Amino acid sequence: MENQDATITGSRLRAAREAAGLSLSGMAERVPYSRAALGHYETGHRTPTAEIVAWYERVCGPFTDAVSSAVALAKNDVDRRSFLRNAVYSVALSASALAPLPESTARLTHVDQSRRVGLAEVRAVRDITAAFHRLDEVRGGGAGRTAVAEFLATDVAALLRARFADATVRFEAFSAAAELAYLTGFKAHDAGADGLAQRYYLAALRLATEGGSDGQAAWALRALSVQSTDIGERRFSVDLAEAAVQRAREDIDEVAMAQFKVTLARCHAETGNAAAARDMLREVTSLTDNEHTAELPPWMASWTPNGGTVAHQTGKALEALGELKEAERYHERATTLWNPETHARVHAMIAGETAMLRLRLGDEAGAARIVNPVLDTLEELESDRTRGVLARISATAPELVVGRRT
């Protein structure tokens, strides 16, 4: 997994530099390497050596622990010198009519390093995270994104630095924090800020690892592989997807492994390894045809209701393999598995992708039939990805979007 290690270490170098407030040029002035060379190390194009890491630690300070790293990332994201605990993110949730129970925010107000925390405080973090997730699904990644980062940098960081009642509370606290970092990364990805998204996913990986959840760490690796494929940076996607499968294997229900294996199938398909992709798709079919029902952990279940993710990613893999008719069938099935009321963004996106497949198959009437109901959603969401889908439809078949609301 050399490539994967280079990418992860490079991202840590970049996070350390940015936390120190240095640009690449500023860093190059302090070390015996050019700006271009540092860029190659930070992006994983070159494997960072021990000497490079030592120089970064000399200039930026030692690489921080998982909590401090996540806080530095979130503070940089919001770009503030100080944070008001509970203020901004509570307002964002209240404005969306999705606010959690008041006691959830109130319970976290007085948490600090001197206090002993239990599962009630962890549940409060999960309540607020779930509310932000609901907002994200119906409004898009741009809605409340910096408020989520502020929540991570304040109340959640305070919780992780408090005294835990026992080992179970510690495990659940780090798991809840990893869930939030994952959501923040997804929101950044949806808003088109993919460099930032990668760093949040890495923060989720580190927090899950610190808490001892291999399955949740694998989920973050899977997100990194999907993201790299989505944005066309496929050099490391297979390595990341394979690492996710291996890490999840001992910690995830056998049927739930389909979520990881279908991602690996897609990565193989989009990097030209058709044989490996088809082999993996057969494994996915075998797992999902099994009568046993997977019991997904909460940090996975909230992202993959009703098997919609497996159907969608299978369609993506088949499309990359050139099997357009089968891809269209899986895409259409995925639209039936996502509730447009609770998951407006993904439902609209997949409907748009299905329309594009139908256009490639010469079925313009079918394309119009599936995309017309979601055109307003594609346009109105605060989502770079839905706008991208709409732009592709407009460029391919402008007649399908004539007369839509502007």
Side-chain angles (χ1 to χ4, degrees):
M1 298 303 168
E2 181 179 347
N3 287 343
Q4 174 209 337
D5 291 342
T7 303
I8 292 174
T9 303
S11 293
R12 293 182 65 194
L13 294 177
R14 180 175 178 175
R17 171 178 61 75
E18 291 181 344
L22 292 173
S23 65
L24 266 178
S25 297
M27 187 71 185
E29 292 173 358
R30 293 165 171 78
V31 299
Y33 298 91
S34 69
R35 181 183 185 282
L38 296 178
H40 287 312
Y41 285 122
E42 289 189 7
T43 57
H45 284 81
R46 295 182 187 172
T47 301
T49 63
E51 183 180 1
I52 282 287
V53 172
W55 272 108
Y56 268 77
E57 291 193 328
R58 191 175 307 169
V59 173
C60 305
F63 282 2
T64 56
D65 61 273
V67 179
S68 298
S69 178
V71 169
L73 173 60
K75 284 189 173 183
N76 252 352
D77 186 7
V78 180
D79 193 25
R80 290 186 171 184
R81 293 184 180 275
S82 62
F83 287 72
L84 300 175
R85 289 182 60 180
N86 294 327
V88 174
Y89 67 82
S90 294
V91 170
L93 288 171
S94 297
S96 70
L98 291 169
L101 296 175
E103 56 263 29
S104 295
T105 50
R107 184 173 287 279
L108 297 173
T109 301
H110 303 296
V111 170
D112 58 38
Q113 296 181 43
S114 67
R115 294 180 68 89
R116 186 182 179 91
V117 298
L119 290 176
E121 286 76 17
V122 176
R123 282 194 295 272
V125 170
R126 286 201 160 115
D127 284 347
I128 295 168
T129 300
F132 270 123
H133 193 172
R134 292 193 298 272
L135 175 64
D136 178 76
E137 295 288 358
V138 299
R139 292 272 303 279
R145 191 182 67 76
T146 55
V148 180
E150 183 144 358
F151 180 45
L152 176 61
T154 56
D155 287 356
V156 176
L159 177 73
L160 296 179
R161 289 169 172 159
R163 293 183 299 118
F164 300 112
D166 53 40
T168 297
V169 174
R170 183 183 188 279
F171 176 88
E172 294 295 341
F174 274 90
S175 176
E179 283 184 61
L180 181 64
Y182 183 102
L183 172 61
T184 316
F186 186 86
K187 289 179 73 63
H189 172 50
D190 193 54
D194 282 296
L196 185 62
Q198 183 189 62
R199 296 194 289 282
Y200 275 117
Y201 287 143
L202 288 165
L205 172 63
R206 292 189 68 192
L207 288 165
T209 300
E210 177 71 20
S213 175
D214 282 341
Q216 195 168 6
W219 192 242
L221 285 168
R222 175 196 169 276
L224 285 164
S225 69
V226 171
Q227 181 208 17
S228 67
T229 306
D230 281 347
I231 65 175
E233 292 289 340
R234 300 181 177 91
R235 292 177 303 117
F236 306 120
S237 61
V238 171
D239 284 344
L240 288 164
E242 286 183 337
V245 168
Q246 292 304 318
R247 190 155 186 177
R249 201 178 294 277
E250 299 301 320
D251 203 29
I252 296 295
D253 181 286
E254 180 187 5
V255 181
M257 280 297 295
Q259 308 286 344
F260 294 88
K261 291 186 174 182
V262 74
T263 300
L264 180 54
R266 179 189 169 191
C267 291
H268 278 311
E270 297 208 13
T271 52
N273 192 340
R278 289 192 173 94
D279 286 345
M280 193 57 61
L281 285 175
R282 280 191 286 272
E283 285 194 40
V284 171
T285 300
S286 174
L287 290 171
T288 54
D289 285 348
N290 193 319
E291 291 183 359
H292 170 63
T293 301
E295 295 183 6
L296 302 182
W299 42 260
M300 184 191 296
S302 62
W303 291 94
T304 60
N306 306 320
T309 297
V310 172
H312 184 212
Q313 294 297 316
T314 298
K316 291 276 195 181
L318 290 167
E319 183 177 1
L321 291 171
E323 299 178 20
L324 299 188
K325 188 61 181 174
E326 275 296 284
E328 186 272 338
R329 186 170 71 85
Y330 272 95
H331 271 66
E332 181 181 26
R333 171 167 170 71
T335 65
T336 69
L337 296 172
W338 291 99
N339 184 338
E341 297 297 323
T342 59
H343 294 79
R345 176 186 52 215
V346 65
H347 177 268
M349 280 184 58
I350 299 173
E353 292 170 356
T354 307
M356 289 296 296
L357 281 167
R358 288 179 178 177
L359 288 170
R360 293 174 68 184
L361 291 164
D363 182 10
E364 184 169 331
R369 196 162 49 247
I370 198 166
V371 80
N372 281 341
V374 301
L375 286 175
D376 284 344
T377 301
L378 288 171
E379 184 178 59
E380 292 167 359
L381 284 169
E382 297 181 49
S383 167
D384 187 73
R385 293 187 304 149
T386 56
R387 286 189 292 269
V389 170
L390 184 60
R392 289 193 292 276
I393 295 170
S394 299
T396 304
E399 65 276 9
L400 293 184
V401 298
V402 170
R404 66 184 170 87
R405 187 169 63 188
T406 59

